[in-house]
């Protein structure tokens, strides 16, 4: 990848004007995939996101969240031994119904520390909807923008305050582990906006942060910093990877997520609401990184434009189970949208400002590409009681059986938890789940697949079965 020469900008959230981008005619179609089972191995012990599936191919995503050399064996097929923090995929063809053994291994020489069985059925009955509840883990914090969980310790939950403080929740305790107040502009839609752990955190203890700094209208800074053994940030290791200039102080984007390719995906908004620029002009400008998504090689700093046509992509999510990338792009006056595309594809153009959701903007002053070159959203909705989409996570928590494989999301204004299932290029079974959150701003998940949601009011919740 060639280094990025121009300096980019981003998107944002906190005024009731989170902003976003739409799409148009051609659609990305993904072939129907084998069911994916997420397997988390921890020093020879393991948990599976599901243990029952239909006859046919099953794809096991095995993640080593422990500290030893671990592996996974099912029906006689096995992964290579995985180092801490690494993952691998194992596809097994089950040709007939039955019960098949699995085991998790650790160390060298290999020791088996956990065993179990999976069930393969001729036909799968639909899973009944289950009652859900939100367990409050913290309250009274500042406005929160993101939540991330230590990949090697599911009990350490990190929440990001807009003002630049990172707080670690560990059981009933709270600890400030980083304070970027001196670096961060935190008015309006600005602030500390995103956090992601290194894919090799067990080895390098690096976290990546995206925040708006105090230069000009607020440059967008992507930085790395190492955590000490006590989980505090070692500010002497602070390293700037990207410094992205913006024309205005809103439409920031701000979420960051690693793909299975080891690249960091960084969504950037169009950088302005039209005060200083033609609305959306950078989103269709191939010479600008604004209004798009960057692929960043954090080891070299090399950056490549991977997508365009976004307005305010506030939250994104990479599903490690199948390599799909979910983007919640906040709309202008009419529509909110969620886009889903495979990371293996691209480049993509999601259409803003030529489109807002599935609605065309024929009066835009921006030169628009042919409709066939645009990728439409898989789901969009109007501004009725809702105003700003808050994209979430694909649920793999084995306790939440009725949500397995569904994408969880909400909206800043109505706070209803919703979910849909993505298949064959479309969102199906979009539904309201029951639990409600006031002013949700972001979702996250831990290595044990527990799902978390944080709010603009400083609350932290975990999604649990009601009984």
């Amino acid at each position: 990848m060639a280094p990025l020469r121009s300096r980019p900008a981003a998107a944002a959230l906190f005024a009731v004007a989170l902003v976003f981008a739409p799409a148009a005619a051609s659609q990305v179609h993904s072939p129907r995939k084998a069911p994916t089972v997420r397997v988390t191995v921890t020093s020879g012990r393991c948990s599976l996101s599901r243990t029952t599936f239909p006859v046919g191919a099953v794809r096991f995503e095995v993640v080593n969240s422990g500290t030893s050399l671990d592996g996974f064996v099912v029906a006689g097929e096995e992964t290579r031994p995985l180092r801490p923090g690494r993952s691998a995929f194992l596809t097994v063809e089950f040709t007939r119904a039955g019960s098949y053994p699995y085991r998790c291994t650790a160390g060298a020489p290999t020791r088996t520390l956990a065993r179990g069985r999976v069930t393969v059925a001729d036909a799968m009955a639909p899973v009944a909807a289950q009652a859900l509840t939100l367990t409050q883990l913290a309250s009274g914090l500042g406005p929160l923008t993101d939540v991330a969980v230590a990949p090697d310790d599911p009990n350490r939950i990190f929440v990001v305050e807009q003002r630049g403080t990172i707080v670690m929740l560990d059981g009933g305790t709270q600890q400030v582990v980083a304070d970027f107040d001196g670096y961060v502009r935190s008015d309006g839609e600005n602030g500390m906006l995103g956090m992601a752990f290194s894919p090799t955190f067990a080895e390098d203890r690096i976290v990546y942060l995206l925040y708006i700094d105090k230069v000009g209208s607020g440059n967008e800074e992507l930085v790395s910093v190492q955590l000490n053994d006590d989980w505090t940030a070692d500010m002497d290791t602070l390293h700037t990877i990207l410094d992205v200039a913006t024309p205005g102080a809103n439409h920031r984007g701000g979420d960051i997520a690693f793909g299975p390719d080891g690249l960091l995906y960084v969504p950037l908004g169009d950088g302005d609401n039209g005060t200083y620029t033609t609305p959306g002009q950078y989103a269709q400008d191939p010479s600008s990184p604004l209004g798009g998504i960057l692929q960043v090689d954090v080891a070299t700093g090399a950056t490549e434009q991977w997508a365009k046509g976004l307005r305010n992509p506030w939250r994104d999510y990479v599903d490690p189970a199948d390599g799909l990338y979910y983007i919640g792009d906040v709309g202008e006056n009419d529509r909110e949208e969620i886009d889903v595309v495979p990371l293996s594809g691209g480049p993509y153009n999601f259409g803003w400002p030529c489109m807002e959701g599935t609605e065309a903007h024929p009066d835009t002053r921006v030169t628009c590409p042919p409709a066939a070159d645009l990728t439409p959203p898989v789901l969009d909705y109007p501004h009725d009681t809702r105003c700003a989409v808050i994209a979430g996570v694909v649920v793999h928590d084995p306790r939440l059986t009725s949500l397995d494989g569904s994408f969880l999301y909400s909206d800043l204004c109505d706070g209803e938890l919703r979910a849909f299932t993505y298949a064959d290029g479309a969102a199906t079974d979009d539904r309201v789940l029951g639990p409600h959150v006031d002013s949700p701003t972001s979702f996250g998940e831990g290595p044990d697949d527990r799902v978390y949601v944080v709010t603009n009011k400083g609350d932290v919740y975990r999604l649990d079965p009601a009984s």
Side-chain angles (χ1 to χ4, degrees):
M1 295 187 297
L4 184 68
R5 298 298 182 189
S6 59
R7 292 198 167 196
L13 169 65
F14 287 92
V16 177
L18 271 187
V19 202
F20 95 127
S26 70
Q27 185 151 341
V28 176
H29 290 283
S30 299
R32 185 173 296 279
K33 294 181 172 62
T36 298
V37 178
R38 184 178 173 91
V39 181
T40 303
V41 293
T42 308
S43 301
R45 307 189 184 281
C46 56
S47 64
L48 282 64
S49 62
R50 57 191 292 189
T51 56
T52 302
F53 25 80
V55 168
V58 177
R59 191 167 183 249
F60 295 89
E61 184 211 6
V62 184
V63 179
N64 183 358
S65 65
T67 58
S68 63
L69 198 66
D70 286 13
F72 177 71
V73 183
V74 60
E77 303 290 333
E78 60 185 298
T79 64
R80 66 183 187 277
L82 300 174
R83 288 188 292 161
R86 298 302 175 91
S87 62
F89 290 96
L90 176 67
T91 300
V92 179
E93 185 75 32
F94 294 94
T95 59
R96 58 185 179 184
S99 176
Y100 296 84
Y102 72 82
R103 57 190 174 91
C104 290
T105 62
T110 298
R111 295 175 296 139
T112 297
L113 297 181
R115 300 177 184 271
R117 302 189 75 84
V118 296
T119 300
V120 178
D122 286 319
M124 299 293 291
V127 178
Q130 65 188 128
L132 303 169
T133 189
L134 288 164
T135 302
Q136 190 168 52
L137 304 179
S139 63
L141 298 167
L144 298 174
T145 58
D146 204 5
V147 53
V149 184
D152 56 351
D153 189 342
N155 296 314
R156 296 185 187 272
I157 302 161
F158 294 75
V159 293
V160 178
E161 293 185 302
Q162 180 188 8
R163 63 190 177 194
T165 306
I166 299 174
V167 179
M168 182 180 70
L169 310 180
D170 183 11
T173 66
Q174 298 181 12
Q175 177 187 358
V176 175
V177 295
D179 188 348
F180 282 75
D181 179 64
Y183 299 80
V184 173
R185 174 178 176 174
S186 58
D187 60 316
E189 296 184 11
N190 304 293
M192 180 77 78
L193 303 179
M195 175 179 177
F197 283 90
S198 165
T200 55
F201 178 76
E203 301 166 10
D204 56 37
R205 295 191 64 81
I206 291 176
V207 296
Y208 296 87
L209 304 167
L210 192 68
Y211 63 83
I212 308 304
D213 72 13
K214 296 182 177 181
V215 175
S217 61
N219 284 9
E220 196 131 2
E221 297 282 335
L222 174 66
V223 303
S224 65
V225 68
Q226 284 185 308
L227 299 187
N228 296 312
D229 290 341
D230 65 356
W231 298 91
T232 59
D234 180 354
M235 299 303 286
D236 290 337
T237 67
L238 187 65
H239 172 66
T240 299
I241 300 170
L242 280 179
D243 179 9
V244 177
T246 62
N250 56 4
H251 299 191
R252 297 297 195 180
D255 210 3
I256 51 178
F258 278 97
D261 51 13
L263 298 175
L264 186 63
Y265 288 77
V266 182
L268 305 175
D270 61 12
D272 182 42
N273 61 2
T275 301
Y276 304 103
T277 62
T278 298
Q281 75 176 61
Y282 293 116
Q284 292 299 328
D285 181 353
S287 68
S288 170
L290 301 182
I293 296 171
L294 301 178
Q295 284 179 328
V296 180
D297 184 331
V298 294
T300 64
T303 302
E304 185 171 293
Q305 189 82 56
W306 183 75
K308 292 290 290 183
L310 293 167
R311 184 174 183 266
N312 190 351
W314 168 244
R315 300 289 89 176
D316 68 346
Y317 174 78
V318 173
D319 187 1
D322 53 20
L324 290 175
Y325 187 46
Y326 292 73
I327 309 153
D329 193 14
V330 180
E332 188 178 35
N333 298 321
D334 302 313
R335 311 290 293 184
E336 300 298 304
E337 76 176 56
I338 296 177
D339 303 287
V340 184
V341 291
L343 285 176
S344 58
Y348 300 101
N349 190 322
F350 297 106
W352 172 257
C354 309
M355 302 288 296
E356 182 179 356
T358 53
E359 292 186 357
H361 279 182
D363 58 346
T364 181
R365 290 178 285 161
V366 170
T367 300
C368 296
D373 293 342
L374 303 180
T375 299
V378 301
L379 181 144
D380 72 330
Y381 60 85
H383 290 174
D384 37 32
T385 60
R386 296 184 277 176
C387 67
V389 65
I390 306 298
V393 300
V394 174
V395 179
H396 296 294
D397 187 340
R399 306 171 308 147
L400 307 178
T401 53
S402 65
L403 288 178
D404 183 44
S406 296
F407 184 71
L408 181 70
Y409 73 101
S410 189
D411 187 278
L412 178 69
C413 287
D414 81 347
E416 299 289 351
L417 292 195
R418 299 168 186 259
F420 66 79
T421 301
Y422 176 79
D424 295 330
T428 62
D429 192 24
D430 184 38
R431 59 208 186 271
V432 177
L433 301 178
H436 175 276
V437 181
D438 287 339
S439 302
T441 51
S442 191
F443 292 82
E445 62 180 346
D448 55 359
D449 297 315
R450 302 293 193 264
V451 173
Y452 301 90
V453 58
V454 295
T455 79
N456 199 31
K457 296 185 175 182
D459 301 314
V460 183
Y461 299 94
R462 184 182 63 234
L463 185 63
D464 293 322
S467 58

